[in-house]
Amino acid sequence: MNPYFPHLFRPLKVRGVTYRNRIFMAPTSLKELTDHNYIDYHTFEYMERRARGGAASVALGDSIVHETGTVDWSKKLHLWEDRAEPGIYTLATKIRSHGAVPTLELNHAGMHFHDDNRINYGPSDCVDTMDQGDGQGKRTHKIVAMPKEVIEEVVEAYGKAAYRAKHCGFQAVLVHAGHGWLLSQFFSPILNQRTDEFGGSLENRARLACMVVDRIRQYCGPNFVIEARISWMEGLSEGYGLEESIEFCKLLEAHGVDLI
């Protein structure tokens, strides 16, 4: 036994789901999808090899829950589309056949990355300039504060996406609340300048993420694992740091997150 990691190869039981060890494959964004953003055989083979290799959890990363949170030029799984289900089901089946727990990461891009073909929602109105990564240099986009009715749509989309994952055989979802995506944008004291119940205090800035967790639990029930992924610091000099991240984790845990 390795004295530094005595629990690494011991099973872990969370909400009725048993992980065979403590080795979790980090969620991987995909470049190999079909022209319609459905899972193809490259992904099946890649993820199945990870499960066969002995990881306890094998995670498909960066899957988008709502059409306001994706971009045309980037290959992302669209979880709101019914026709995505066969691929999701097949992937879960292949991962489980090797004794691993299939996990699906749920995400919404928010104000990053921009798309010319949709409204670019963020926590607050602003103008954002960034390199699109397509060789065309930097572009400037107008960011629109996400209205409450759209917030509710997005929260519901998280719940439905998690339920679709469960329906197709996934045993866990990973809520992406870090790396500058939508949920971390709302938690940011720099990007979030709202004056309603979603802005200002730490609890208000964490409200959207907590609502998402609540809705997933509502849809998926008590025996379904919810993970959360956060950044311990924002990466901006005046953004949130470790102390606020700790409080964020406490709130997520209080709302039913099992693993952080």
Side-chain angles (χ1 to χ4, degrees):
M1 179 185 295
N2 187 319
Y4 299 102
F5 304 102
H7 302 292
L8 184 60
F9 292 102
R10 292 180 181 174
L12 174 69
K13 190 171 183 178
V14 182
R15 289 190 181 268
V17 176
T18 299
Y19 296 90
R20 59 188 171 190
N21 54 51
R22 315 299 174 92
I23 299 172
F24 283 48
M25 171 192 166
T28 305
S29 300
L30 299 178
K31 301 301 180 186
E32 298 289 348
L33 294 174
T34 71
D35 290 341
H36 297 286
N37 286 35
Y38 303 141
I39 303 173
D40 73 352
Y41 72 94
H42 294 98
T43 301
F44 296 143
E45 292 180 356
Y46 172 75
M47 293 294 180
E48 189 174 10
R49 285 197 298 270
R50 295 299 182 271
R52 190 185 301 123
S57 169
V58 174
L60 175 62
D62 210 10
S63 302
I64 308 300
V65 301
H66 192 261
E67 56 191 346
T68 58
T70 191
V71 286
D72 289 343
W73 53 266
S74 181
K75 291 279 190 178
K76 309 290 183 187
L77 183 62
H78 295 168
L79 293 175
W80 66 90
E81 294 187 8
D82 294 341
R83 289 178 294 178
E85 277 197 10
I88 299 172
Y89 174 82
T90 301
L91 180 60
T93 301
K94 287 181 176 293
I95 293 171
R96 293 181 71 160
S97 70
H98 297 284
V101 173
T103 302
L104 190 62
E105 183 180 58
L106 309 181
N107 200 11
H108 186 295
M111 60 189 288
H112 306 310
F113 290 91
H114 320 108
D115 197 311
D116 293 328
N117 299 318
R118 63 168 169 83
I119 299 173
N120 298 286
Y121 288 118
S124 305
D125 292 328
C126 68
V127 175
D128 192 34
T129 301
M130 69 178 298
D131 193 328
Q132 292 286 80
D134 56 3
Q136 300 299 314
K138 293 185 177 182
R139 300 179 191 172
T140 298
H141 289 261
K142 179 183 178 182
I143 307 302
V144 177
M146 186 176 282
K148 291 182 182 179
E149 60 270 20
V150 178
I151 289 176
E152 175 56 31
E153 281 185 29
V154 169
V155 170
E156 181 72 0
Y158 271 96
K160 288 182 175 179
Y163 185 74
R164 170 161 282 158
K166 180 181 179 181
H167 170 73
C168 291
F170 277 80
Q171 294 170 280
V173 291
L174 172 54
V175 177
H176 200 338
H179 299 179
W181 302 116
L182 180 70
L183 301 185
S184 65
Q185 291 164 23
F186 267 77
F187 190 61
S188 166
I190 304 301
L191 300 176
N192 186 344
Q193 297 296 313
R194 300 175 76 104
T195 57
D196 60 7
E197 68 269 32
F198 293 97
S201 68
L202 184 147
E203 290 77 10
N204 282 357
R205 288 183 280 116
R207 188 179 304 276
L208 176 57
C210 293
M211 288 173 60
V212 164
V213 173
D214 289 342
R215 193 65 54 89
I216 292 171
R217 185 63 69 203
Q218 177 184 334
Y219 266 98
C220 296
N223 293 319
F224 188 75
V225 177
I226 302 176
E227 296 183 54
R229 186 183 195 189
I230 72 165
S231 303
W232 77 267
M233 64 176 295
E234 189 171 352
L236 300 172
S237 59
E238 298 177 357
Y240 67 81
L242 180 59
E243 294 304 317
E244 284 201 323
S245 294
I246 291 172
E247 296 306 313
F248 190 21
C249 289
K250 290 178 180 178
L251 287 170
L252 292 173
E253 183 180 25
H255 282 263
V257 167
D258 304 299
L259 301 166
I260 295 176

